[in-house]
Amino acid sequence: MIYADKKLILASNSPRRREILKRFGYKFDIVNSNYKEDKFDTFSYENIKKNSLGKALEAAQRISYNAVIISADTMVILDSVCLLNKPRNFDEAIFMLKRLSGKTHAVVTSISLVQSNSLKNTTQYTKTLVTFRELSQEEIVNYINTKNPLDKAGSYGIQDFLSESDFKNPPACSFIKKIDGDYFNVVGFSPYTFEKMLKAF
């Protein structure tokens, strides 16, 4: 069993989700989930919910006090259903970024909350559309070599190109031409969706 005084528990080892929660003033403990994520080839809301909720429920089993467990899962979707997971190697990363080049894709993040003592839970989704400009082979290879995005769905991190202060007007050098929706959702966690969920929960 894990013992602590905090009422919020983040069931994630993602440094980006930790940073977002801290930036928006939340205090929390971290209990990494041992849930083994399912890998899917096509997108559905049930699939992404299965992963985010599974992470929170697994962590909740090991909490001995009343707390709200937070978990999330992010998926990158091209052409409505085609799912771009985390690349397994350099070649897959190149392949993914070539597919995203010059196209608009969707980033969907599922956030789940679970009450540890009752396992009461809720899940909500946030969707953001991201448009890439046309990318050259040289740009793609240089990005992968310098940023090593193998731990990111779709093989890129939006924070490598844009901050939240300039995402509405991306510079010409950015891979990203346009964003329609929540910037933080593309990073991997929408604080606005989370705030609404927590208040309702």
Side-chain angles (χ1 to χ4, degrees):
M1 286 292 189
I2 295 169
Y3 297 87
D5 296 322
K6 307 295 184 185
K7 292 184 179 180
L8 291 180
I9 302 292
L10 177 62
S12 173
N13 59 8
S14 166
R16 294 168 291 277
R17 289 174 182 143
R18 297 179 191 182
E19 289 167 7
I20 291 171
L21 281 170
K22 287 179 180 177
R23 175 166 183 173
F24 281 80
Y26 292 101
K27 295 181 179 180
F28 56 94
D29 275 348
I30 296 169
V31 175
N32 289 332
S33 178
N34 295 323
Y35 179 78
K36 187 175 181 180
E37 293 183 29
D38 285 311
K39 300 297 182 184
F40 304 102
D41 295 321
T42 57
F43 172 76
S44 75
Y45 286 102
E46 282 306 308
N47 286 348
I48 192 171
K49 177 181 178 179
K50 183 177 182 181
N51 276 340
S52 69
L53 184 56
K55 294 175 190 177
L57 287 171
E58 192 284 328
Q61 311 285 340
R62 295 179 286 120
I63 304 298
S64 64
Y65 55 94
N66 191 19
V68 175
I69 316 300
I70 310 159
S71 62
D73 193 50
T74 299
M75 292 184 174
V76 174
I77 308 104
L78 185 63
D79 301 327
S80 299
V81 295
C82 181
L83 195 57
L84 300 183
N85 294 302
K86 296 175 183 177
R88 290 172 292 184
N89 51 50
F90 184 87
D91 289 337
E92 276 197 3
I94 290 178
F95 175 75
M96 287 184 185
L97 289 173
K98 281 185 174 180
R99 293 197 67 184
L100 293 174
S101 176
K103 295 182 180 178
T104 298
H105 62 275
V107 178
V108 177
T109 298
S110 170
I111 297 177
S112 294
L113 304 181
V114 172
Q115 194 80 30
S116 62
N117 62 348
S118 66
L119 299 187
K120 170 189 172 184
N121 62 79
T122 184
T123 300
Q124 289 190 24
Y125 318 95
T126 307
K127 179 179 178 179
T128 303
L129 298 179
V130 180
T131 302
F132 270 33
R133 63 174 173 82
E134 293 286 346
L135 307 176
S136 69
Q137 175 84 3
E138 182 181 1
E139 286 178 310
I140 291 172
V141 170
N142 182 62
Y143 171 68
I144 296 169
N145 281 332
T146 56
K147 297 299 183 180
N148 192 27
L150 300 186
D151 65 335
K152 300 177 178 69
S155 191
Y156 78 94
I158 192 172
Q159 63 275 17
D160 294 334
F161 308 111
L162 301 169
S163 69
E164 69 276 18
S165 63
D166 61 7
F167 81 91
K168 291 185 179 179
N169 295 291
C173 61
S174 170
F175 281 16
I176 296 167
K177 184 177 179 180
K178 180 183 177 183
I179 296 175
D180 183 9
D182 186 338
Y183 167 87
F184 290 103
N185 180 59
V186 186
V187 179
F189 193 87
S190 170
Y192 313 112
T193 298
F194 172 67
E195 181 180 17
K196 292 176 184 177
M197 291 176 68
L198 193 60
K199 286 181 178 178
F201 199 61

